[in-house]
Amino acid sequence: MTTRYAWHLAPDGLATRRQLRALGLRPGGQDVAAHVERPRRRRGPLVAYLYLVERAKPVRPMTARRAAALAKANTARRTCPACRRDSGYVIPASLGTCVPCHDLPAQPAA
């Protein structure tokens, strides 16, 4: 069982994933050291997991192959499956196509 802290009351030396990333670090396989809870009125509390900063490892450097794979994945997310054009934005999963293709009236089956 991890230690629980109230919102804004976690001691120094603990950080969330985002805070670690801002420091150029990553959890590096360590278990969650503690968590903070932010209460909400009508739902359960928001939970943020905390990691020990002293046990965090440096972020792995971006390699050329990794950058190329990331660029390819982002291009695929922007390419409309209907018209095969780069839409310039990530296509929403709720639409499935770019906005112009989605807004076209349905073509009757021939």
Side-chain angles (χ1 to χ4, degrees):
M1 175 105 181
T2 61
T3 307
R4 183 182 77 186
Y5 295 103
W7 197 249
H8 292 295
L9 296 179
D12 292 336
L14 296 173
T16 63
R17 284 181 176 269
R18 285 188 179 195
Q19 291 168 335
L20 288 175
R21 182 60 99 165
L23 296 171
L25 301 171
R26 60 186 169 96
Q30 66 174 299
D31 291 332
V32 174
H35 66 271
V36 292
E37 291 184 353
R38 178 177 166 231
R40 297 191 290 182
R41 291 179 187 247
R42 292 184 176 89
R43 293 183 281 177
L46 288 174
V47 176
Y49 298 109
L50 301 172
Y51 301 91
L52 294 170
V53 175
E54 65 187 23
R55 292 182 57 199
K57 296 180 180 177
V59 175
R60 294 183 191 126
M62 181 65 75
T63 63
R65 290 181 69 176
R66 200 183 232 177
L70 185 61
K72 185 177 177 182
N74 285 331
T75 300
R77 293 178 67 200
R78 291 190 316 262
T79 303
C80 175
C83 65
R84 304 309 251 168
R85 284 185 280 178
D86 187 341
S87 61
Y89 54 87
V90 175
I91 295 173
S94 60
L95 299 181
T97 61
C98 63
V99 174
C101 289
H102 182 264
D103 290 344
L104 285 176
Q107 299 293 330

